[in-house]
Amino acid sequence: MPALRPDRSDRVVPPAGMPVRLTQLTSAAMAFLAVFALALSLAAGRLADRWSDALARTATVRISAPQGQMTTQTEAVLDVLRTTPGVASARALSADEQRALLEPWFGPDLPVDRLPLPRLVELVEGPEGLDAEALRLRLAGEAPGAVLDDHTRWRRPLVAAADRLRLFGWVALGLIGAAVASMITLAANAALAANARVIEVLRLVGARDVFIARAFVRRFTRRALEGAAGGTALGMLAMALMPETGEAGGFLTGLGFRGWHWLWPLAVPPLAALVAFAATRAAALRMLRGLT
Amino acid sequence: MIELDSVSHSYGGSELLGGLALRLPPGSFHFLTGPSGAGKTTFLRLCYAELAPTAGRVRIFGKDVRAMSRDDVAHTRRRIGVVHQDCQFLDHLSVAENVALPLSVAGRNAADHAGDLADLLGWVGLDTRAEALPPELSGGERQRAALARAVIMGPELILADEPTGNVDWEMSLRILHLLIELNRMGKAIVIATHDLNLIRAAKANVSARVLRIKDRRVQLAGADL
């Protein structure tokens, strides 16, 4: 018989009222938003990592020299790079590779060998890092036509922007958590006020504060969990159904979860429940301390 | 059991009760009488730690009320049954569940006490109303349900504040006899009432003492009323 009944401390409070139902609804909405904020943070993080990682590893030396000196200057550049600390490897791009790079702009029939194109030398940085200024000075001495382009100049603001975007995502998540906490505190206070008589009766028959608080805490925690689970499921579904545009989409379609990142939004419902638990408990105990 | 030592209570600076010195021993039967507004309810509330005295010391079961934590107060109330004139229930629970409420809040499994509960409801004459909701009860039924709820924990003391205020004479006598029976079982009883007929009716059956509140003092009234 007792197994069929919901828990006792739950039953002493009248069946779900308006505040509890609104809690469920708001938790669902907030969880939905939280999934997007999370996706934003993770996508921005991926973007920042990709830009700083892939681009930091490589640099390019561009050699513009008269036809006759091209080979010797290229040799000189490669010699310099071989003896520069922090350069893991360096190689000159072949004519075919250069043609492939230019193809999108000039078409496939470009006679690369007959144009006065600069030679490109790609270098890969070692883990110890590259002193770009020192390398520039050495190159200027050995091969006057060589220019080092280490990508940092245009990479840095992009990485900074992506990092800022990631920060916004986390701040948004924090704000969503705070909004849920204040909303549930308000709802709990409303429920406690509406049940003032019930609480009075419970105190009279010898209920301890924790017993009374538990009745409210359980209810709000469960509703917040249910609401957040629904909102999270909808949010994840929306992310999964995001139209795929492949490589060309860039950042916009990068907004989503990859691989194990899909586990992240699953933390939203338990977190919402935790916030509801703490907020309701604090509100209930604060209110009860005011009674005899 | 309950000791008051030069206790005063004031509301907003004006003293309602003052200089109370009194002991309620186990198994005693007291009436508390006096005009309305004299402080009968305040006196009872001091006895179950609903109020703390503004001066003096109240000891309940040997413990100073002022030194009690909120949990101490809760535990103390499990040993004191209280019946109010307008008794409150949890309106969404049945009479049986309301009567068993003190067991639930004390963390006891009400199912283990199902027999006690049925006996108790039979004793107060509510066995046929066990599944009714409190708002469906008459005044007399509410008082008896409140009495059943007050005694289910087997308290040592029962405080009743105008328990017959809302019921007719016949029902008053019935409730009085339930309280007298409880007293015979060894429980201390305090009944606040302004109904002198009720006191006379009791005196025929039990050796009750009468406390009268007059001029902010509680005095032991003479044997005759």
Side-chain angles (χ1 to χ4, degrees):
Chain A
M1 182 70 170
L4 294 176
R5 291 185 175 175
D7 184 83
R8 274 282 164 178
S9 74
D10 240 16
R11 276 180 50 77
V12 298
V13 183
M18 187 76 121
V20 175
R21 278 197 295 275
L22 287 178
T23 295
Q24 196 173 20
L25 187 71
T26 317
S27 300
M30 288 300 186
F32 190 80
L33 294 178
V35 170
F36 280 96
L38 199 56
L40 176 73
S41 297
L42 292 173
R46 271 201 305 276
L47 204 63
D49 287 348
R50 200 164 65 218
W51 282 341
S52 55
D53 225 46
L55 299 177
R57 298 286 82 144
T58 63
T60 316
V61 178
R62 185 163 31 104
I63 306 156
S64 313
Q67 279 293 356
Q69 289 176 31
M70 190 60 101
T71 322
T72 45
Q73 287 221 12
T74 305
E75 284 304 317
V77 165
L78 288 172
D79 273 345
V80 167
L81 291 176
R82 261 193 288 278
T83 56
T84 304
V87 175
S89 67
R91 66 181 186 92
L93 294 188
S94 70
D96 282 345
E97 283 173 309
Q98 296 219 36
R99 187 182 295 123
L101 281 177
L102 294 172
E103 206 181 275
W105 285 274
F106 297 109
D109 303 325
L110 188 70
V112 173
D113 33 346
R114 274 188 283 132
L115 284 172
L117 286 177
R119 278 305 287 276
L120 296 177
V121 174
E122 186 189 70
L123 67 94
V124 177
E125 265 182 47
E128 65 269 39
L130 177 69
D131 183 352
E133 279 317 302
L135 179 59
R136 269 197 194 99
L137 288 175
R138 282 191 67 196
L139 285 173
E142 304 284 332
V147 178
L148 173 71
D149 180 5
D150 67 353
H151 307 165
T152 28
R153 215 166 351 118
W154 64 273
R155 188 186 73 218
R156 211 171 275 143
L158 283 180
V159 171
D163 277 339
R164 186 63 58 84
L165 205 55
R166 166 156 55 179
L167 181 68
F168 283 162
W170 290 118
V171 168
L173 277 175
L175 290 176
I176 288 170
V180 168
S182 25
M183 182 272 307
I184 289 179
T185 301
L186 288 174
N189 278 331
L192 288 162
N195 288 296
R197 235 188 42 154
V198 167
I199 292 170
E200 210 175 290
V201 171
L202 291 171
R203 266 313 272 180
L204 182 71
V205 300
R208 292 165 65 217
D209 285 355
V210 285
F211 177 90
I212 302 172
R214 192 159 59 221
F216 290 92
V217 167
R218 284 218 175 145
R219 184 161 295 185
F220 277 94
T221 304
R222 199 178 62 229
R223 291 308 178 114
L225 182 67
E226 285 168 5
T232 302
L234 284 178
M236 288 174 76
L237 192 69
M239 297 307 315
L241 295 180
M242 195 95 147
E244 192 63 60
T245 53
E247 287 295 305
F251 175 72
L252 257 185
T253 51
L255 189 67
F257 300 105
R258 296 282 149 77
W260 64 269
H261 278 177
W262 278 102
L263 296 179
W264 269 103
L266 297 182
V268 170
L271 277 176
L274 201 68
V275 167
F277 175 85
T280 318
R281 192 180 153 85
L285 292 181
R286 192 171 52 240
M287 190 261 195
L288 286 166
R289 268 195 298 276
L291 305 174
T292 46
Chain B
M1 175 167 284
I2 293 192
E3 296 159 68
L4 290 85
D5 191 3
S6 42
V7 166
S8 310
H9 195 81
S10 318
Y11 289 104
S14 69
E15 191 178 75
L16 182 64
L17 295 171
L20 304 190
L22 193 70
R23 281 183 65 247
L24 298 177
S28 60
F29 199 119
H30 286 90
F31 280 103
L32 180 66
T33 186
S36 30
K40 296 193 291 289
T41 301
T42 299
F43 177 86
L44 293 182
R45 290 170 79 191
L46 287 166
C47 292
Y48 65 94
E50 170 91 20
L51 288 177
T54 42
R57 204 162 58 155
V58 176
R59 292 164 71 85
I60 304 178
F61 303 124
K63 239 182 184 175
D64 190 333
V65 166
R66 243 189 277 272
M68 284 185 183
S69 69
R70 293 182 56 77
D71 282 355
D72 289 339
V73 170
H75 286 293
T76 302
R77 289 191 188 157
R78 293 175 193 176
R79 299 169 66 186
I80 302 177
V82 181
V83 181
H84 282 301
Q85 179 176 5
D86 55 336
C87 25
Q88 303 287 355
F89 297 96
L90 302 188
D91 288 346
H92 62 289
L93 297 182
S94 69
V95 168
E97 282 177 298
N98 266 289
V99 170
L101 190 64
L103 294 172
S104 317
V105 305
R108 302 199 200 158
N109 190 351
D112 298 344
H113 299 266
D116 297 348
L117 181 60
D119 288 349
L120 190 54
L121 287 172
W123 180 66
V124 296
L126 287 176
D127 33 0
T128 56
R129 305 290 276 147
E131 292 311 313
L133 292 178
E136 301 162 11
L137 300 184
S138 70
E141 287 173 330
R142 284 179 80 86
Q143 289 299 332
R144 285 179 283 143
L147 185 58
R149 183 180 68 187
V151 300
I152 193 154
M153 294 287 281
E156 292 144 73
L157 169 67
I158 292 154
L159 303 173
D161 189 4
E162 302 278 3
T164 59
N166 291 334
V167 297
D168 59 30
W169 177 243
E170 225 165 293
M171 185 55 72
S172 296
L173 283 181
R174 198 167 159 193
I175 290 166
L176 177 66
H177 280 110
L178 291 174
L179 287 164
I180 290 171
E181 269 185 66
L182 288 169
N183 181 245
R184 290 201 178 121
M185 290 156 68
K187 304 187 188 306
I189 310 278
V190 179
I191 303 174
T193 182
H194 61 265
D195 186 349
L196 297 185
N197 286 328
L198 192 73
I199 300 176
R200 285 191 198 102
K203 285 220 154 187
N205 294 292
V206 68
S207 63
R209 314 187 80 177
V210 179
L211 304 167
R212 178 179 289 142
I213 301 184
K214 200 179 172 192
D215 300 331
R216 307 198 305 275
R217 298 279 189 275
V218 175
Q219 306 158 338
L220 199 57
D224 50 355
L225 283 161

